[in-house]
Short mmCIF file of all heavy atoms in Angstrom, two decimals:
data_model
loop_
_atom_site.label_atom_id
_atom_site.label_comp_id
_atom_site.label_asym_id
_atom_site.label_seq_id
_atom_site.Cartn_x
_atom_site.Cartn_y
_atom_site.Cartn_z
N PHE A 1 -156.62 7.56 -74.02
CA PHE A 1 -155.74 6.82 -73.10
C PHE A 1 -154.90 5.83 -73.91
O PHE A 1 -155.25 4.65 -74.04
CB PHE A 1 -156.58 6.08 -72.05
CG PHE A 1 -155.76 5.48 -70.95
CD1 PHE A 1 -154.91 6.26 -70.17
CD2 PHE A 1 -155.84 4.11 -70.68
CE1 PHE A 1 -154.15 5.70 -69.14
CE2 PHE A 1 -155.09 3.54 -69.66
CZ PHE A 1 -154.25 4.34 -68.89
N PRO A 2 -153.81 6.29 -74.54
CA PRO A 2 -153.00 5.45 -75.43
C PRO A 2 -152.57 4.11 -74.85
O PRO A 2 -152.53 3.12 -75.60
CB PRO A 2 -151.79 6.34 -75.74
CG PRO A 2 -152.33 7.73 -75.64
CD PRO A 2 -153.32 7.68 -74.51
N PRO A 3 -152.23 4.00 -73.52
CA PRO A 3 -151.86 2.67 -73.02
C PRO A 3 -152.96 1.62 -73.24
O PRO A 3 -152.67 0.44 -73.47
CB PRO A 3 -151.62 2.92 -71.53
CG PRO A 3 -151.19 4.35 -71.47
CD PRO A 3 -152.01 5.04 -72.50
N LEU A 4 -154.23 2.05 -73.15
CA LEU A 4 -155.33 1.12 -73.41
C LEU A 4 -155.30 0.65 -74.85
O LEU A 4 -155.50 -0.55 -75.13
CB LEU A 4 -156.67 1.79 -73.10
CG LEU A 4 -157.93 0.97 -73.43
CD1 LEU A 4 -157.96 -0.30 -72.60
CD2 LEU A 4 -159.18 1.81 -73.21
N ALA A 5 -155.03 1.57 -75.78
CA ALA A 5 -154.96 1.20 -77.19
C ALA A 5 -153.82 0.22 -77.45
O ALA A 5 -153.95 -0.69 -78.27
CB ALA A 5 -154.80 2.45 -78.05
N LEU A 6 -152.69 0.41 -76.76
CA LEU A 6 -151.57 -0.51 -76.93
C LEU A 6 -151.94 -1.93 -76.52
O LEU A 6 -151.56 -2.90 -77.17
CB LEU A 6 -150.37 -0.04 -76.10
CG LEU A 6 -149.73 1.29 -76.54
CD1 LEU A 6 -148.60 1.65 -75.60
CD2 LEU A 6 -149.23 1.20 -77.97
N ILE A 7 -152.71 -2.04 -75.44
CA ILE A 7 -153.10 -3.37 -74.95
C ILE A 7 -154.16 -3.99 -75.86
O ILE A 7 -154.04 -5.15 -76.27
CB ILE A 7 -153.62 -3.27 -73.50
CG1 ILE A 7 -152.50 -2.79 -72.57
CG2 ILE A 7 -154.18 -4.60 -73.03
CD1 ILE A 7 -152.97 -2.47 -71.16
N VAL A 8 -155.18 -3.21 -76.18
CA VAL A 8 -156.30 -3.72 -76.98
C VAL A 8 -155.87 -3.95 -78.43
O VAL A 8 -156.49 -4.74 -79.15
CB VAL A 8 -157.49 -2.75 -76.92
CG1 VAL A 8 -158.64 -3.23 -77.78
CG2 VAL A 8 -157.97 -2.60 -75.48
N GLY A 9 -154.79 -3.30 -78.86
CA GLY A 9 -154.33 -3.46 -80.23
C GLY A 9 -153.97 -4.89 -80.58
O GLY A 9 -154.13 -5.30 -81.74
N PHE A 10 -153.51 -5.67 -79.60
CA PHE A 10 -153.12 -7.05 -79.88
C PHE A 10 -154.32 -7.93 -80.26
O PHE A 10 -154.30 -8.57 -81.31
CB PHE A 10 -152.35 -7.63 -78.69
CG PHE A 10 -150.95 -7.13 -78.60
CD1 PHE A 10 -150.65 -5.95 -77.93
CD2 PHE A 10 -149.91 -7.81 -79.20
CE1 PHE A 10 -149.36 -5.48 -77.85
CE2 PHE A 10 -148.60 -7.36 -79.14
CZ PHE A 10 -148.32 -6.18 -78.45
N PRO A 11 -155.38 -8.00 -79.44
CA PRO A 11 -156.53 -8.81 -79.87
C PRO A 11 -157.21 -8.25 -81.11
O PRO A 11 -157.72 -9.02 -81.93
CB PRO A 11 -157.47 -8.78 -78.65
CG PRO A 11 -157.05 -7.60 -77.85
CD PRO A 11 -155.58 -7.46 -78.07
N MET A 12 -157.21 -6.93 -81.29
CA MET A 12 -157.83 -6.35 -82.48
C MET A 12 -157.09 -6.80 -83.74
O MET A 12 -157.71 -7.26 -84.71
CB MET A 12 -157.82 -4.83 -82.39
CG MET A 12 -158.52 -4.16 -83.57
SD MET A 12 -158.30 -2.36 -83.64
CE MET A 12 -156.60 -2.29 -84.24
N MET A 13 -155.76 -6.69 -83.74
CA MET A 13 -155.00 -7.06 -84.92
C MET A 13 -155.04 -8.57 -85.16
O MET A 13 -155.06 -9.03 -86.31
CB MET A 13 -153.55 -6.58 -84.78
CG MET A 13 -152.78 -6.56 -86.09
SD MET A 13 -153.57 -5.58 -87.39
CE MET A 13 -153.62 -3.95 -86.61
N ALA A 14 -155.11 -9.35 -84.08
CA ALA A 14 -155.22 -10.81 -84.24
C ALA A 14 -156.53 -11.17 -84.93
O ALA A 14 -156.57 -12.05 -85.80
CB ALA A 14 -155.13 -11.48 -82.87
N GLN A 15 -157.61 -10.49 -84.56
CA GLN A 15 -158.90 -10.76 -85.20
C GLN A 15 -158.88 -10.37 -86.67
O GLN A 15 -159.41 -11.09 -87.53
CB GLN A 15 -160.01 -9.99 -84.47
CG GLN A 15 -160.31 -10.51 -83.08
CD GLN A 15 -161.45 -9.75 -82.41
OE1 GLN A 15 -162.34 -9.24 -83.07
NE2 GLN A 15 -161.41 -9.69 -81.09
N ILE A 16 -158.28 -9.23 -86.98
CA ILE A 16 -158.18 -8.80 -88.37
C ILE A 16 -157.41 -9.83 -89.20
O ILE A 16 -157.83 -10.21 -90.30
CB ILE A 16 -157.51 -7.42 -88.47
CG1 ILE A 16 -158.45 -6.33 -87.93
CG2 ILE A 16 -157.12 -7.10 -89.91
CD1 ILE A 16 -157.84 -4.94 -87.90
N CYS A 17 -156.28 -10.29 -88.67
CA CYS A 17 -155.46 -11.25 -89.41
C CYS A 17 -156.19 -12.58 -89.61
O CYS A 17 -156.12 -13.17 -90.70
CB CYS A 17 -154.13 -11.48 -88.69
SG CYS A 17 -153.02 -10.04 -88.72
N ARG A 18 -156.90 -13.06 -88.59
CA ARG A 18 -157.65 -14.30 -88.75
C ARG A 18 -158.73 -14.14 -89.82
O ARG A 18 -158.96 -15.04 -90.63
CB ARG A 18 -158.28 -14.72 -87.42
CG ARG A 18 -157.32 -15.36 -86.45
CD ARG A 18 -158.05 -16.12 -85.36
NE ARG A 18 -158.89 -15.23 -84.56
CZ ARG A 18 -158.50 -14.62 -83.45
NH1 ARG A 18 -157.25 -14.79 -83.02
NH2 ARG A 18 -159.31 -13.84 -82.77
N GLY A 19 -159.39 -12.99 -89.82
CA GLY A 19 -160.44 -12.77 -90.80
C GLY A 19 -159.90 -12.70 -92.23
O GLY A 19 -160.45 -13.33 -93.14
N VAL A 20 -158.83 -11.94 -92.43
CA VAL A 20 -158.25 -11.82 -93.77
C VAL A 20 -157.77 -13.17 -94.27
O VAL A 20 -157.98 -13.54 -95.43
CB VAL A 20 -157.10 -10.79 -93.77
CG1 VAL A 20 -156.35 -10.82 -95.10
CG2 VAL A 20 -157.64 -9.39 -93.50
N ASN A 21 -157.13 -13.94 -93.40
CA ASN A 21 -156.60 -15.24 -93.82
C ASN A 21 -157.70 -16.24 -94.11
O ASN A 21 -157.50 -17.19 -94.88
CB ASN A 21 -155.63 -15.77 -92.77
CG ASN A 21 -154.32 -15.02 -92.76
OD1 ASN A 21 -153.94 -14.40 -93.75
ND2 ASN A 21 -153.61 -15.05 -91.65
N PHE A 22 -158.88 -16.06 -93.51
CA PHE A 22 -160.01 -16.91 -93.88
C PHE A 22 -160.33 -16.72 -95.36
O PHE A 22 -160.56 -17.69 -96.09
CB PHE A 22 -161.24 -16.56 -93.04
CG PHE A 22 -162.50 -17.25 -93.50
CD1 PHE A 22 -162.80 -18.53 -93.05
CD2 PHE A 22 -163.37 -16.63 -94.38
CE1 PHE A 22 -163.95 -19.17 -93.48
CE2 PHE A 22 -164.52 -17.26 -94.81
CZ PHE A 22 -164.82 -18.54 -94.36
N PHE A 23 -160.32 -15.47 -95.83
CA PHE A 23 -160.59 -15.20 -97.23
C PHE A 23 -159.40 -15.60 -98.11
O PHE A 23 -159.59 -16.05 -99.24
CB PHE A 23 -160.91 -13.72 -97.44
CG PHE A 23 -162.31 -13.34 -97.07
CD1 PHE A 23 -162.64 -12.99 -95.77
CD2 PHE A 23 -163.32 -13.35 -98.02
CE1 PHE A 23 -163.94 -12.65 -95.42
CE2 PHE A 23 -164.62 -13.01 -97.69
CZ PHE A 23 -164.94 -12.66 -96.38
N ALA A 24 -158.18 -15.43 -97.60
CA ALA A 24 -157.00 -15.78 -98.39
C ALA A 24 -156.94 -17.27 -98.69
O ALA A 24 -156.51 -17.67 -99.78
CB ALA A 24 -155.73 -15.34 -97.65
N PHE A 25 -157.38 -18.09 -97.75
CA PHE A 25 -157.34 -19.54 -97.94
C PHE A 25 -158.71 -20.11 -98.30
O PHE A 25 -158.91 -21.32 -98.25
CB PHE A 25 -156.81 -20.21 -96.67
CG PHE A 25 -155.36 -19.94 -96.42
CD1 PHE A 25 -154.99 -18.95 -95.53
CD2 PHE A 25 -154.38 -20.62 -97.11
CE1 PHE A 25 -153.65 -18.67 -95.30
CE2 PHE A 25 -153.04 -20.36 -96.89
CZ PHE A 25 -152.67 -19.37 -95.99
#
């Protein structure tokens, strides 16, 4: 169900970015 992936993609990518930036800083 691709529309679900489009919606859930936002919180998923936000979590990934927060995690990576924790290590970056």
